[in-house]
Structures are given as structure tokens and as C-alpha cells.
Amino acid sequence: MKTRRTWRTTAKTPRSGAAARLGAGLAAVAGSLRGRAGWAVGSAAVIVLGLAGAWLFVGGEESGPPDPRARQYEDFDACLLTGEKGIVAGTPAAPVWEGMQQASLDTRARVNYVPVVGPQSADNVRPFFNSLMQRQCDVVLAVGGPQVEVTEADAKKYPKVRFVVVDGASDADARTSPNVTVAKAGDGLKSSVAEAIRQAVKASDS
């Protein structure tokens, strides 16, 4: 008997807010089901209210505050253009990506990469490069022969964007825009990339 009384007490706990309104709506629909005339309309209403109830109890009424543990990023994007293999270990882009991640930890800049799929040629790279420009990346890094070639050739069209090319042409500094930095592959590449992004973020804040 105690179990039954406890259940009844719990069942009588008043509901509030949208949940109470939903219950009242279901009760009204139940009344409309009396007789065959209201069967079709009542069935449709039950389905609609059922979907509304699912939305409500999943979290439609109260989404809650954002998770305080979620990392807050600056409005700054560093984008990497790579070969078809992307940033997997052993690729030329792997240390560049590590440097970008380090810079992101230091500055809270967002970092991402785009691998060029298909022929590794300047003609095929250019649409991928243009997509980064459309996304309004603040810094664009390029790894790979055709990726560097396209970046060096088109950087002057985007004077407000900073570019970092890995192993660019030997005379890159002389024939490209001043917004292009040449980074050399090797043990110091990760640090060079991280510092280039830090400087770009700092310049954007000034």
C-alpha cells in the first residue's frame, strides 16, 4: 500500500509552464475523440502535440547556458592549403599544422586546413585557394609546390590577408607582395609558423 500511495502522490505533482499547457492540450484532444466524426481531426492533433512534447522534453523550452568549459575563440581564422594527403604524420604539412595548433592555444585563433583533391597542379589548386579567400581567412598558409605557386601569384590581390608559404621561390620576397612570409622546412618550421600567426593576430588587434 505504501508503494501505491507514493506513486499517487508523485502523479499528482503539479506541472508548470509549457509542460502543463501541453497536458491540457492532450486532454482537450482526448475529448474530441468521442464519436467517429472527430476521429480524423483528433488523431492528427495527437500527432502534432506528441511531436511538440518530444521537442519540449528534449530541451526546446530551456536550452540552458553555454558550457563554461567550452573554449572561446577569437574572430580570427588561420587556414592551411595542403596536398591531397592533408596533415597526416610524415607529410610536409604535418609540422605546419602543429605550429598552427600551438598558435591557436596561445592566441585562441581558429585554425583549419583544406587539402587539394585531384591533380596537384596550379589550375586545380586555384579554386581551393579562392575558396579560402571567400571564407575570409585572415592568414593563409600554403604547403606544396602548386599551392605555394598559386599563393605567391595571387597574394597581391588580397593585401589585407597575410600569407605564409613553405619553401617558396628563392626570390619570393622580391617579386611578391609584402604580405607574404617565406618559411623554410626543417626543425624550426613549427616555431616559425606559430610565430607568424601570433604576429598576425597581434597586428589585427592593434
Side-chain angles (χ1 to χ4, degrees):
M1 295 299 292
K2 288 184 179 180
T3 302
R4 179 173 297 180
R5 284 196 295 269
T6 301
W7 178 85
R8 287 178 179 175
T9 301
T10 303
K12 293 179 182 179
T13 301
R15 291 172 294 182
S16 61
R21 292 193 297 272
L22 179 61
L26 289 173
V29 171
S32 70
L33 295 180
R34 297 174 182 174
R36 297 181 179 180
W39 175 257
V41 174
S43 298
V46 168
I47 293 174
V48 172
L49 289 173
L51 292 174
W55 174 81
L56 171 64
F57 291 112
V58 167
E61 184 177 21
E62 295 183 2
S63 58
D67 188 348
R69 296 170 297 177
R71 190 178 181 198
Q72 301 298 316
Y73 288 94
E74 296 288 342
D75 187 18
F76 189 97
D77 293 281
C79 309
L80 173 61
L81 193 61
T82 77
E84 194 167 23
K85 294 183 179 180
I87 57 173
V88 298
T91 61
V96 178
W97 180 247
E98 292 176 0
M100 294 175 67
Q101 289 181 308
Q102 181 60 57
S104 179
L105 290 174
D106 298 338
T107 65
R108 293 185 298 172
R110 295 185 295 261
V111 295
N112 60 81
Y113 72 97
V114 173
V116 175
V117 180
Q120 300 299 297
S121 63
D123 288 341
N124 188 48
V125 166
R126 185 158 276 108
F128 292 89
F129 175 88
N130 291 338
S131 71
L132 297 182
M133 297 300 97
Q134 293 172 357
R135 287 164 54 181
Q136 298 182 339
C137 296
D138 299 283
V139 176
V140 172
L141 302 96
V143 182
Q147 287 83 354
V148 170
E149 177 185 347
V150 170
T151 300
E152 289 181 341
D154 292 2
K156 58 182 175 292
K157 301 177 183 178
Y158 307 95
K160 294 183 179 181
V161 180
R162 295 199 173 200
F163 299 90
V164 179
V165 295
V166 178
D167 285 345
S170 58
D171 60 340
D173 290 329
R175 66 184 178 84
T176 60
S177 300
N179 57 337
V180 177
T181 299
V182 178
K184 297 299 182 181
D187 294 338
L189 179 57
K190 175 181 175 180
S191 298
S192 297
V193 166
E195 182 60 22
I197 295 176
R198 291 191 200 100
Q199 293 299 323
V201 174
K202 182 178 180 180
S204 70
D205 292 335
S206 59

